[in-house]
């Protein structure tokens, strides 16, 4: 299987999250790559989530290795769905995030099948990761006993020279402020919900500082952070706002807990303000000395011709769904830029090196587990 050709074919499907017609076409194309091979699984549909492609070489609940990824992308202009290669870079929507690495996962499955490796191996590709990963959650809920010893996760950034060993816990919080409407000319007759919200946010900033480019840039970035994702309040310009709300995106390290976050939020609420936790997860934290991770790192270093570093990132990953079930998660991606932006690209050589690394890692694992 030529991973770059497959990546470009996947990129031609306009699988923007929610585009069900194109998503179905893309899933069927990926599934068709294994026509004639003894592949298990298929496309799984859910009532309240988009579909998931699950393909494996055996039917079991306990896999040795699962490759985890997604096929949906963020919106883009028409031309970004016509991929092209220039100066060793593959351009187009999904090149870096993450259809190139979905192709790598499919390539690994083909290798396992054609070489009859004695591994229990599966690929899971969701289709709404860019908007909350409901499909991953739905699939995992439908398979409560599903386990994987090792998860290969290539959806973690854009630098092949670094293996991710830690991801933060994303926690989304809605702040709600309730006031009393009055005419804008007589503010003493009302209670401004916008002011309540701003005072509450000010209190939160005393615990979780504001960081920005050109502003405060902490030397130690493995810290709890929050950004104000959405704010709104009021209905018309000459009426004191009766209601205001904000959505906050907290990123917590493994040294923090949601319970501690709640205690801090309790202290920050002013009269008229309340909050609710909209969603929470768990940080993904791996032992950098784990022998499987070191084996993978060895093969990646062979492919690259130099040593790799471990890094920590603030972003979340769907592999946390397996981490909480005890999986060893190996988080490694290719090199590129422009994720979610114009000019998105991935370096072709880095995709091929990730594919080569996975194959060699799987070959060794198959020998070790005999």
């Amino acid at each position: 299987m030529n991973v770059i050709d497959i990546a470009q074919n996947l990129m031609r499907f306009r699988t923007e999250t929610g585009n069900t017609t194109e998503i179905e076409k893309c899933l069927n194309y990926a599934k068709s790559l294994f026509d004639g091979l003894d592949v298990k699984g298929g496309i799984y549909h859910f009532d309240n989530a988009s579909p998931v492609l699950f393909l494996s070489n055996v039917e079991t609940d306990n896999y040795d290795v699962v490759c985890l990824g997604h096929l949906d992308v963020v919106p883009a202009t028409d031309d970004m769905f016509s991929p092209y290669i220039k100066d060793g870079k593959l351009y187009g929507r999904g090149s870096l995030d993450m259809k190139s690495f979905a192709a790598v996962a499919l390539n690994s499955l083909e290798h396992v099948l054609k070489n009859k490796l004695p591994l229990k191996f599966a690929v899971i590709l969701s289709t709404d990761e860019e908007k909350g990963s409901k499909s991953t959650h739905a699939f995992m809920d439908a398979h409560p006993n599903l386990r994987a010893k090792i998860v290969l996760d290539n959806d973690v950034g854009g630098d092949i020279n670094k293996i991710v060993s830690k991801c933060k816990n994303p926690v989304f919080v809605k702040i709600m402020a309730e006031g009393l409407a009055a005419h804008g000319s007589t503010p003493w007759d009302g209670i401004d919900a916008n002011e309540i919200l701003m005072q509450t946010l000010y209190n939160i900033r005393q615990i979780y500082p504001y960081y920005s480019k050109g502003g405060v840039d902490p030397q130690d970035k493995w810290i709890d952070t929050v950004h104000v994702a959405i704010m709104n309040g009021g209905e018309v310009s000459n009426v004191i706002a009766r209601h205001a709300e904000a959505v906050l995106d907290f990123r917590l390290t493994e040294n923090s807990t949601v319970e501690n976050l709640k205690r801090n939020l309790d202290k920050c609420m002013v009269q008229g303000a309340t909050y609710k936790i909209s969603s929470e997860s768990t940080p993904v934290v791996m032992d950098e000395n784990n022998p499987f991770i070191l084996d993978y790192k060895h093969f990646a270093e062979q492919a690259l011709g130099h040593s790799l570093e471990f890094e920590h990132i603030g972003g979340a990953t769907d592999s946390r769904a397996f981490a909480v079930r005890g999986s060893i998660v190996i988080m490694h991606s290719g090199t590129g830029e422009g994720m979610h932006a114009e000019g998105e690209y991935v370096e072709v050589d880095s995709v091929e090196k990730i594919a080569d690394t996975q194959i060699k890692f799987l070959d060794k694992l198959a020998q070790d587990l005999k």
Side-chain angles (χ1 to χ4, degrees), residues 112-127:
V112 170
L113 288 165
K114 286 188 173 180
N115 292 276
K116 301 186 185 303
L117 294 189
L119 290 174
K120 293 175 286 185
F121 183 89
V123 172
I124 301 176
L125 297 174
S126 66
T127 57

Side-chain angles (χ1 to χ4, degrees), residues 290-360:
N290 179 278
F292 294 108
I293 293 176
L294 291 179
D295 274 349
Y296 179 93
K297 183 172 180 282
H298 167 73
F299 289 118
E301 289 174 339
Q302 276 191 339
L304 291 167
H306 58 76
S307 61
L308 273 69
E309 301 176 355
F310 286 106
E311 72 167 340
H312 307 161
I313 64 172
T317 166
D318 277 355
S319 60
R320 61 190 184 271
F322 278 93
V324 297
R325 297 188 184 188
S327 297
I328 299 161
V329 182
I330 302 177
M331 297 173 278
H332 190 213
S333 185
T335 298
E337 292 183 355
M339 188 182 297
H340 293 191
E342 295 292 326
E344 179 182 355
Y345 75 85
V346 68
E347 293 181 6
V348 170
D349 183 63
S350 74
V351 178
E352 293 172 339
K353 283 183 166 59
I354 292 282
D356 179 64
T357 298
Q358 280 197 14
I359 294 301
K360 289 179 178 176

Side-chain angles (χ1 to χ4, degrees), residues 134-344:
K134 276 189 177 181
S135 58
T136 299
H137 297 306
F139 183 83
M140 297 299 283
D141 288 345
H143 299 82
N145 298 317
L146 184 64
R147 298 289 187 276
K149 186 178 187 68
I150 298 166
V151 171
L152 298 177
D153 181 359
N154 301 127
D155 189 26
V156 287
D159 189 349
I160 197 172
N161 297 303
K162 297 178 181 179
I163 295 177
V164 176
S165 58
K166 291 184 182 181
C167 294
K168 292 182 181 179
N169 177 10
V171 182
F172 291 90
V173 176
K174 178 180 278 191
I175 309 291
M176 297 150 290
E178 302 299 332
L180 178 65
H183 196 277
S185 64
T186 56
W188 42 81
D189 290 334
I191 302 173
D192 193 340
N194 287 329
E195 290 290 341
I196 294 172
L197 179 60
M198 288 189 290
Q199 291 171 25
T200 300
L201 294 177
Y202 174 82
N203 291 341
I204 291 172
R205 279 293 179 216
Q206 305 315 297
I207 302 174
Y208 303 95
Y210 171 57
Y211 303 110
S212 66
K213 186 174 183 178
V216 178
D217 183 357
Q219 184 174 3
D220 178 11
K221 292 181 171 60
W222 197 245
I223 52 176
D224 296 343
T225 63
V226 63
H227 88 272
V228 182
I230 303 171
M231 288 181 63
N232 59 71
E235 297 176 0
V236 292
S237 59
N238 63 346
V239 175
I240 302 296
R242 178 189 60 80
H243 176 82
E245 61 184 43
V247 175
L248 277 57
D249 175 2
F250 286 87
R251 301 294 169 127
L252 307 181
T253 74
E254 79 280 12
N255 302 314
S256 301
T257 65
V258 175
E259 289 306 312
N260 185 63
L261 171 61
K262 290 178 181 178
R263 286 191 289 270
N264 287 337
L265 290 173
D266 288 340
K267 292 185 290 187
C268 294
M269 296 300 112
V270 301
Q271 186 174 357
T274 58
Y275 71 90
K276 70 175 182 179
I277 305 291
S278 302
S279 68
E280 60 181 279
S281 186
T282 184
V284 177
V285 179
M286 293 293 118
D287 178 5
E288 295 175 4
N289 293 311
N290 179 278
F292 294 108
I293 293 176
L294 291 179
D295 274 349
Y296 179 93
K297 183 172 180 282
H298 167 73
F299 289 118
E301 289 174 339
Q302 276 191 339
L304 291 167
H306 58 76
S307 61
L308 273 69
E309 301 176 355
F310 286 106
E311 72 167 340
H312 307 161
I313 64 172
T317 166
D318 277 355
S319 60
R320 61 190 184 271
F322 278 93
V324 297
R325 297 188 184 188
S327 297
I328 299 161
V329 182
I330 302 177
M331 297 173 278
H332 190 213
S333 185
T335 298
E337 292 183 355
M339 188 182 297
H340 293 191
E342 295 292 326
E344 179 182 355

